[in-house]
Amino acid sequence: MASDPRANLKPLSLHVPEPKFRPGDVVDFADIEVPPAGAGRRPDVAEDAATFPELAYGLVRVLDGEARAVGPWDPRLSPDRLRRMLRAMALTRAYDERMFRAQRQGKTSFYMKSTGEEAVAVAAAFALDRDDMCFPSYRQQGLLIARDWDMVDMMNQVYSNRGDRLEGKQLPIMYSTKEGSFFSISGNLATQYPQAVGWAMASAAKGDTRIAATWTGEGSTAEGDFHSACTFASVYRAPVILNVVNNQWAISSFSGFAGAEATTFAARAIGYGIAGLRVDGNDALAVYAATSWAAERARTNAGPTLIEHFTYRTEGHSTSDDPTQYRSAGEPTAWPLGDPIGRLKDHLIQLGEWDEERQAAMDLDLAEKVRAAQKEAEKNGVLGHGLHQPLDTLFEGVYEEMPWHLREQQQMMLDEEEASGRPWARK
Amino acid sequence: MTELIEQQQRIAPTPEHEGDSVRMNMIQAINSAMDVMMARDPDVIVMGEDVGYFGGVFRATAGLQAKYGKRRVFDTPITECGIIGVAVGMGAYGLRPVPEIQFADYIYPALDQLVSEAARLRYRSAGEFTSPITVRSPFGGGIFGGQTHSQSPEGIFTHVSGLKTVIPSTPYDAKGLLIAAIEDNDPTIFFEPKRIYNGPFDGHWDRPAKNWSGHPGGEVPTGYYRIPLGTAKVVRAGAALTILAYGTMVHVCRGVVEEAGVDAEIIDLRTLVPIDIDAIEVSVKKTGRCMIVHEATRTSGFGAELSALVQERCFYHLEAPIERVTGFDTPYPHSLEWAYFPGPVRIGEALKKIMKDA
């Protein structure tokens, strides 16, 4: 009998990634490499994508341990602009807290916070023009807040009430505003990525000067849409900024399941021939600097940029999630890059342009503003308190004009409601 | 008879059109539709695999890039989800993209973008953003295309609210419907029966192929005209039964009916969603019998929807059970193509069955 020629090999083994810390574990993030602030070079915006590997594996940071802005990426913003950015980030957090509580009070079915990731959206919005088109995921509410979008309008959407411009058709937080250059959010992950590239290609094809920016979490980079978007962006040198918000967690899956054990997300840009930057996502100045760099690159026809924002999802994935079931409760406080709001606040204090008293007063003022907006929004009703939209609007907007079969179903529904004696049918 | 002619005119009004008519095959008619629309609307752009310099693997986009430039007609990477996703973004910007998927068999990677995005964008944004895109794709069998060059996936798309699905059966209709689809502000799936690109096909694969020159549907105006979406066409008036078909099967049914000498009324549905229910209802109530023919597999195919509609609306007029002649519930075979294809033999037997008590 012939012997098995492979008998002397060790059996194969399947590697299944495992996060470092599970519930109950003591957290020690010492192995996360945090390069010093100001260390990375700032290339010319026209530089060839092939020269970017060090930036794709490094970490662009501006604010150092003493909250000073250092190095070539320091965007040198005026204190006034810094204060406005700080305010928008704090307002985003206050809004999140209020809406999370509203969900717990049963006023809406669902909410998602962006706690700890405020800089990623807010600082980017400050670096973009108001009419640059944003294709966000569901965790960039800071874009709307930084663009001074009406908070009552946002709450109306969360409550699916009479004031909801989306007519109660969308799950809470799936905002949409063309006027705010904020594309309709979809529940389907990463679909916005090729759409943003297409929007940018259209802008270029028409000789426009506007650019597009899109965001996805690190988990969703595993979707095929991410690949097709990067390919299109590279092939047509689309004026687009591709943001990957690496907050370490995709619901209960740590970033290792999206490939983070082997490489960085910014490094994926290299293979596509796209400029890749890896940025401290809790450093508002680094996010601002990288975004304005990428915007200038896009606007000068030098091509797309992929920015990985290295950050941490401080809270649960959503109101339907309990993170203590899969990760250590010690993670958020142990996160080595700190809190984006605290770091920007400390920077302003260090500049002599801010103090703890003013911060406390601002927080109080913002909490009051959010509370007032909530009161205003709740005048339009909250979810579950009766019907806020006329029953027959359910059929509107499927097509530009309602085809016969929808008119027929609409009438059928109204007739059934009428026959049932329910008050809904009587508008 | 006068009443019938009036009815036919109501269903399919003769469209006004610009320019002379010339002989075209379906490829040329489709090419002409895109040419006309690109000339009329600077926001119309054409994109897809091999559609640019080369002019498409079926020549449907031949000459367009040379005429309109690379920024309006361009080749894409081989990624269907990318093609449709990018088209959705372009539509949101304000363009009117006409993306091509090389074969309908390869549209599945784009399903998420079509179903979750293009179809729902207007609804989920309450009209703020729209997807005025027209997805062209060759579909259907009868060409020895085997499993992945023969499929008829229309039932997947007719099931999606927010999409329109259009299937022409002649060069004249193909151009008029494609122009209407491109002008339409809703996302439209435009399936082109590739078996009849070059000529009508009566299902007799063993006889010499015909071209469009002898067919009235091959006479195509060179300029602009449109056939409204949602309008069927009575291609043969009759009193004995109603046959509902679209694409290649319109011609196959016509051949069978003529050979069998049955006075069937054949309705070419042309648009599946929104369906022309009036045309169907009027016809079946008149004939009392209904046969549905499509190439797609049977279970949950579009024929099931048609059958249900006829049953609901014409129940008291029906003199026989509704017949469905369809592809079998198998992947599309290669060597056994003519056993699978709902050709003259299978349709002929179904005709006998549905007429047996007449």
Side-chain angles (χ1 to χ4, degrees):
Chain A
M1 202 174 81
S3 66
D4 182 347
R6 290 185 295 202
N8 60 344
L9 292 181
K10 270 171 56 182
L12 292 169
S13 73
L14 178 70
H15 172 69
V16 179
E18 181 61 27
K20 291 213 173 59
F21 315 108
R22 287 298 194 183
D25 291 347
V26 175
V27 175
D28 178 5
F29 282 130
D31 63 326
I32 291 184
E33 247 186 85
V34 181
R41 72 186 183 103
R42 185 183 186 279
D44 188 85
V45 294
E47 206 168 293
D48 197 283
T51 67
F52 281 76
E54 64 181 270
L55 286 157
Y57 288 106
L59 199 63
V60 171
R61 305 181 71 229
V62 173
L63 292 172
D64 70 8
E66 275 77 50
R68 290 176 309 211
V70 295
W73 287 93
D74 176 7
R76 296 169 196 282
L77 300 178
S78 70
D80 185 50
R81 203 153 164 75
L82 291 172
R83 276 189 293 262
R84 283 196 288 129
M85 207 189 288
L86 177 68
R87 184 181 183 282
M89 285 162 61
L91 184 55
T92 303
R93 186 166 295 181
Y95 173 74
D96 276 352
E97 275 165 18
R98 198 85 204 164
M99 288 294 95
F100 187 92
R101 206 177 321 153
Q103 192 277 339
R104 289 295 188 251
Q105 292 166 338
K107 291 173 176 175
T108 186
S109 61
F110 184 72
Y111 192 73
M112 297 176 106
K113 290 171 138 184
S114 62
T115 314
E117 302 172 37
E118 293 90 348
V120 170
V122 169
F126 272 76
L128 295 168
D129 284 350
R130 181 68 162 61
D131 57 358
D132 289 332
M133 190 69 185
C134 295
F135 289 77
S137 80
Y138 45 68
R139 222 184 288 280
Q140 282 81 48
Q141 50 266 53
L143 291 170
L144 284 172
I145 288 169
R147 284 177 168 179
D148 292 322
W149 193 254
D150 179 14
M151 193 165 275
V152 177
D153 182 74
M154 292 171 70
M155 289 172 170
N156 286 340
Q157 199 282 328
V158 172
Y159 287 141
S160 277
N161 63 19
R162 278 188 300 283
D164 178 11
R165 283 180 300 105
L166 306 186
E167 301 168 350
K169 286 174 163 132
Q170 265 282 46
L171 194 68
I173 68 127
M174 305 281 184
Y175 310 107
S176 173
T177 163
K178 195 168 192 174
E179 206 224 301
S181 295
F182 185 98
F183 188 71
S184 158
I185 297 174
S186 169
N188 295 64
L189 299 176
T191 50
Q192 72 276 13
Y193 245 59
Q195 292 164 0
V197 174
W199 196 97
M201 286 171 66
S203 183
K206 296 299 273 186
D208 199 344
T209 57
R210 292 177 292 165
I211 62 169
T214 184
W215 287 259
T216 191
E218 90 286 349
S220 306
T221 61
E223 296 280 6
D225 284 297
F226 176 81
H227 167 67
S228 63
C230 290
T231 303
F232 264 85
S234 172
V235 167
Y236 302 96
R237 294 184 197 167
V240 64
I241 305 173
L242 305 162
N243 294 286
V244 175
V245 184
N246 177 6
N247 66 12
Q248 318 301 322
W249 290 94
I251 309 186
S252 75
S253 305
F254 88 113
S255 57
F257 283 99
E261 284 184 339
T263 183
T264 71
F265 294 96
R268 301 207 187 285
I270 297 168
Y272 292 104
I274 294 174
L277 301 174
R278 190 160 173 269
V279 172
D280 177 349
N282 290 10
D283 178 344
L285 296 187
V287 173
Y288 179 95
T291 307
S292 53
W293 184 93
E296 193 188 336
R297 183 174 173 87
R299 241 183 274 285
T300 52
N301 284 307
T305 303
L306 191 155
I307 306 175
E308 173 186 348
H309 302 268
F310 195 65
T311 181
Y312 186 84
R313 196 194 75 208
T314 305
E315 303 258 356
H317 167 70
S318 73
T319 49
S320 308
D321 180 43
D322 174 8
T324 65
Q325 299 299 305
Y326 50 80
R327 70 183 189 189
S328 170
E331 282 200 16
T333 43
W335 183 245
L337 297 177
D339 174 68
I341 294 178
R343 285 173 68 190
L344 186 57
K345 179 196 74 176
D346 291 345
H347 176 56
L348 270 160
I349 291 173
Q350 183 271 330
L351 287 176
E353 294 286 346
W354 196 242
D355 53 51
E356 295 287 357
E357 291 73 43
R358 276 194 274 181
Q359 179 77 20
M362 181 182 79
D363 283 343
L364 272 177
D365 176 54
L366 294 179
E368 189 41 54
K369 280 199 159 57
V370 175
R371 202 177 1 253
Q374 187 186 25
K375 258 192 179 158
E376 199 57 32
E378 289 181 4
K379 285 183 191 163
N380 295 322
V382 297
L383 189 73
H385 286 193
L387 195 70
H388 299 303
Q389 283 81 29
L391 205 55
D392 51 356
T393 59
L394 190 152
F395 296 89
E396 285 166 8
V398 180
Y399 298 93
E400 184 173 38
E401 283 170 38
M402 201 183 296
W404 71 267
H405 65 287
L406 288 183
R407 282 199 308 275
E408 196 177 89
Q409 290 168 32
Q410 184 186 45
Q411 191 56 51
M412 187 175 76
M413 178 193 67
L414 291 173
D415 291 346
E416 285 166 359
E417 286 294 331
E418 191 67 46
S420 76
R422 273 207 290 196
W424 281 12
R426 292 185 284 279
K427 285 181 265 177
Chain B
M1 198 58 202
T2 315
E3 187 189 298
L4 185 67
I5 289 163
E6 279 171 8
Q7 172 212 321
Q8 284 177 34
Q9 282 169 343
R10 184 183 57 74
I11 292 165
T14 309
E16 299 286 323
H17 58 74
E18 297 165 4
D20 300 329
S21 289
V22 297
R23 286 277 149 202
M24 291 189 200
N25 64 26
M26 195 182 281
I27 291 283
Q28 292 163 327
I30 285 163
N31 182 282
S32 174
M34 285 186 275
D35 188 4
V36 164
M37 286 313 296
M38 293 195 80
R40 283 172 71 94
D41 183 348
D43 289 332
V44 173
I45 64 123
V46 168
M47 60 193 279
E49 296 158 19
D50 305 298
V51 307
Y53 183 86
F54 178 57
V57 294
F58 290 103
R59 318 305 304 147
T61 55
L64 295 178
Q65 187 181 73
K67 190 166 175 182
Y68 296 101
K70 289 198 289 185
R71 285 182 186 83
R72 294 189 63 197
V73 183
F74 55 87
D75 292 311
T76 64
I78 303 172
T79 159
E80 287 77 12
C81 83
I83 291 169
I84 301 303
V86 160
V88 170
M90 290 178 155
Y93 177 92
L95 299 189
R96 204 167 274 281
V98 187
E100 177 184 298
I101 300 295
Q102 202 160 78
F103 287 86
D105 314 63
Y106 303 133
I107 203 165
Y108 309 123
L111 266 188
D112 191 30
Q113 285 288 346
L114 287 169
V115 175
S116 311
E117 302 295 320
R120 296 187 186 160
L121 188 53
R122 179 190 295 281
Y123 193 76
R124 78 172 194 232
S125 70
E128 271 200 334
F129 295 99
T130 59
S131 274
I133 67 174
T134 303
V135 183
R136 289 182 41 248
S137 191
F139 100 128
I143 56 152
F144 277 116
Q147 294 190 21
T148 55
H149 297 80
S150 308
Q151 293 169 38
S152 299
E154 67 273 18
I156 292 172
F157 298 96
T158 57
H159 189 57
V160 178
S161 48
L163 294 181
K164 292 179 176 174
T165 303
V166 177
I167 300 173
S169 74
T170 65
Y172 180 87
D173 282 1
K175 180 171 174 181
L177 288 166
L178 183 53
I179 286 174
I182 293 171
E183 287 187 334
D184 198 281
N185 289 324
D186 293 315
T188 304
I189 309 293
F190 192 86
F191 280 137
E192 303 165 0
K194 56 187 171 294
R195 183 61 182 81
I196 55 172
Y197 267 159
N198 292 309
F201 175 61
D202 62 9
H204 288 288
W205 52 274
D206 44 353
R207 296 179 190 168
K210 292 189 201 101
N211 61 33
W212 283 107
S213 62
H215 193 285
E219 186 84 20
V220 180
T222 55
Y224 172 89
Y225 68 98
R226 47 182 288 154
I227 296 172
L229 304 186
T231 60
K233 183 173 72 175
V234 177
V235 296
R236 185 193 186 282
L241 83 156
T242 299
I243 299 179
L244 305 179
Y246 46 90
T248 304
M249 300 319 294
V250 171
H251 304 280
V252 178
C253 291
R254 197 163 184 165
V256 176
V257 162
E258 273 156 21
E259 280 175 27
V262 178
D263 187 24
E265 180 146 299
I266 303 173
I267 297 182
D268 177 359
L269 297 172
R270 301 200 294 197
T271 302
L272 305 191
V273 175
I275 189 81
D276 187 345
I277 192 65
D278 293 340
I280 296 170
E281 206 173 323
V282 165
S283 179
V284 176
K285 283 183 174 166
K286 179 182 70 180
T287 64
R289 286 178 167 78
C290 180
M291 185 161 98
I292 296 155
V293 186
H294 62 57
E295 284 179 70
T297 50
R298 188 178 188 85
T299 301
S300 304
F302 190 64
E305 180 63 30
L306 288 172
S307 176
L309 285 170
V310 169
Q311 190 274 143
E312 285 160 6
R313 282 157 199 274
C314 309
F315 182 77
Y316 295 105
H317 294 78
L318 287 176
E319 292 162 34
I322 299 163
E323 278 292 318
R324 278 186 290 162
V325 189
T326 70
F328 297 117
D329 285 337
T330 68
Y332 202 105
H334 187 247
S335 68
L336 294 177
E337 168 146 65
W338 300 116
Y340 173 97
F341 189 87
V345 170
R346 296 183 51 209
I347 296 171
E349 289 305 306
L351 259 185
K352 280 184 216 159
K353 190 175 163 196
I354 198 169
M355 297 307 297
K356 72 176 177 337
D357 298 325

